[in-house]
């Protein structure tokens, strides 16, 4: 794809070659992401970071990534403090803000809403999560994590065996990740969820049409054996219209050290897009796994910075100028 000036709305936009370009760009960004170097390549550029739904990682890492490239970030958080609370449409909101900024990141609770933003915007729009729809940059950072865990070789993403656990119906990170993985060869997907939260049938059919192996199961211990990746997700309370339905499913699966030690093979990587729901009634990914090296959840969050820097640099067409405007940092940075 042509990245320059493009909206980033869905993983369906990407080919394997695009993923290669993004990962190679993310590798260029690594010293800036880990504060070994700084660059002013986006000095003077303004990001509109519009989050109309709760977020910690995506909002802050999009903002920090733009800052690391030398740009300025303008944040809006929640409907309450935007004029959409007065009935302003997505069209008008987007048209107005696109006159103020160079690029927008938007998170919104309704599926399809970020595409609506892009249709009225004169600047590129990046989907930071549209309800139960998609979260393309999360899928890229998840895939980049798997790539790094597997010797940074794109070929090592072929023949992957991945088990996806939890809220597969509403989980936009799942929808984006399984679609982007389908670009590779011979993927085995095992979807582990209660029937009410299983992967939408159209997604399962799409994966099968690409010649991948798909199974649905609701037994966690049976599913996790012989997997390369176990990707756990939170049951998304905020998506349920009937709270009792959520309460009936809360804590349905709990992936913990006992399950890992007794049912997973030794080198299985554990992932989660976070936030994990650490309330005792939920606890889908137990803190007793925190000391296990194969728990990759904080490597995932760290990888959000180089990936989002790469997307900004590609869309604003500055990849080749990053080092020209770069210098070493003068302040203390921890070794990683
Ligand atoms: N993974 C993710 O999107 O986290 P936040 O909701 O905190 O942004």
């Amino acid at each position: 794809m042509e990245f320059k000036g493009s909206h980033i709305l869905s993983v369906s936009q990407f080919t394997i070659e695009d993923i290669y370009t993004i990962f190679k760009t993310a590798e260029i960004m690594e010293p800036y992401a880990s504060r070994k170097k700084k660059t002013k390549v986006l000095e003077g550029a303004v990001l509109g970071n519009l989050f109309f739904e709760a977020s910690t990682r995506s909002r802050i890492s999009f903002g920090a990534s733009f800052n690391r490239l030398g740009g300025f970030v303008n944040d809006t958080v929640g409907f309450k403090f935007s004029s959409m609370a007065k009935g302003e449409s997505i069209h008008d909101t987007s048209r107005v803000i696109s006159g103020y900024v160079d690029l927008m990141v938007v998170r919104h609770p309704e599926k399809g809403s970020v595409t609506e933003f892009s249709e009225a915007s004169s600047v590129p729009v990046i989907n930071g999560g549209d309800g139960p729809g998609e979260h393309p940059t999360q899928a890229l950072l998840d895939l980049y994590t798997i790539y790094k865990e597997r010797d940074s070789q794109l070929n090592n993403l072929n023949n992957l065996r991945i088990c996806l656990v939890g809220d597969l119906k509403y989980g936009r990170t799942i929808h984006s990740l399984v679609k982007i993985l389908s670009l590779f060869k011979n993927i085995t997907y095992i979807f582990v969820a209660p029937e009410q939260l299983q992967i939408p049938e159209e997604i399962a059919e799409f994966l099968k049409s690409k010649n991948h192996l798909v199974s649905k199961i609701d037994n966690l211990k049976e599913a996790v054996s012989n997997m390369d990746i176990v990707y756990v997700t939170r049951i998304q309370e905020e998506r349920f219209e009937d709270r009792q339905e959520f309460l009936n499913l809360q804590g349905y699966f709990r992936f913990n050290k006992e399950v890992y030690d007794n049912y997973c093979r030794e080198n299985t990587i554990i992932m989660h897009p976070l936030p994990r729901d650490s309330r005792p009634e939920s606890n889908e990914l137990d803190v007793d796994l925190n000391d296990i090296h194969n728990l990759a959840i904080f490597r995932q969050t760290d990888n959000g910075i180089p990936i989002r820097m790469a997307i900004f640099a590609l869309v604003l067409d500055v990849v080749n100028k990053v080092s020209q405007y770069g210098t070493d940092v003068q302040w203390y940075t921890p070794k990683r």
Side-chain angles (χ1 to χ4, degrees), residues 70-189:
F72 179 79
V73 177
N74 213 321
D75 272 308
T76 285
V77 181
F79 275 104
K80 205 171 140 192
F81 296 106
S82 99
S83 284
M84 287 204 278
K86 303 175 202 162
E88 189 166 42
S89 66
I90 286 180
H91 175 279
D92 288 2
T93 304
S94 179
R95 169 63 191 83
V96 168
I97 296 173
S98 71
Y100 302 155
V101 301
D102 297 283
L103 192 132
M104 277 190 248
V105 173
V106 182
R107 172 172 288 188
H108 190 285
E110 284 163 30
K111 185 176 175 179
S113 54
V114 183
T115 299
E116 219 180 315
F117 264 88
S118 72
E119 286 160 0
S121 170
S122 55
V123 300
V125 173
I126 297 175
N127 184 355
D130 60 327
E134 279 218 39
H135 195 350
T137 60
Q138 177 74 42
L140 287 169
L141 75 88
D142 288 342
L143 197 65
Y144 186 57
T145 302
I146 300 171
Y147 163 83
K148 284 173 73 172
E149 301 285 321
R150 296 171 76 83
D151 301 327
S152 298
Q153 297 293 322
L154 223 47
N155 276 343
N156 290 347
L157 296 175
N158 295 318
N159 305 311
L160 196 77
R161 298 174 58 82
I162 183 165
C163 171
L164 302 116
V165 183
D167 188 345
L168 313 181
K169 179 181 177 186
Y170 297 115
R172 59 190 170 209
T173 67
I174 295 272
H175 301 164
S176 290
L177 177 60
V178 300
K179 282 188 222 163
I180 205 167
L181 262 176
S182 75
L183 292 170
F184 296 87
K185 293 191 192 104
N186 192 33
I187 307 294
T188 300
Y189 299 93

Side-chain angles (χ1 to χ4, degrees), residues 51 53-61 107 128-129 135 138 141 172-173 231 234 272-275 301 308:
F51 277 71
E53 191 182 57
S55 169
T56 294
R57 273 144 295 275
S58 307
R59 185 175 67 80
I60 294 176
S61 72
R107 172 172 288 188
H135 195 350
Q138 177 74 42
L141 75 88
R172 59 190 170 209
T173 67
Y231 188 101
R234 176 177 66 93
H272 190 305
L274 302 182
T301 53
R308 288 176 172 134

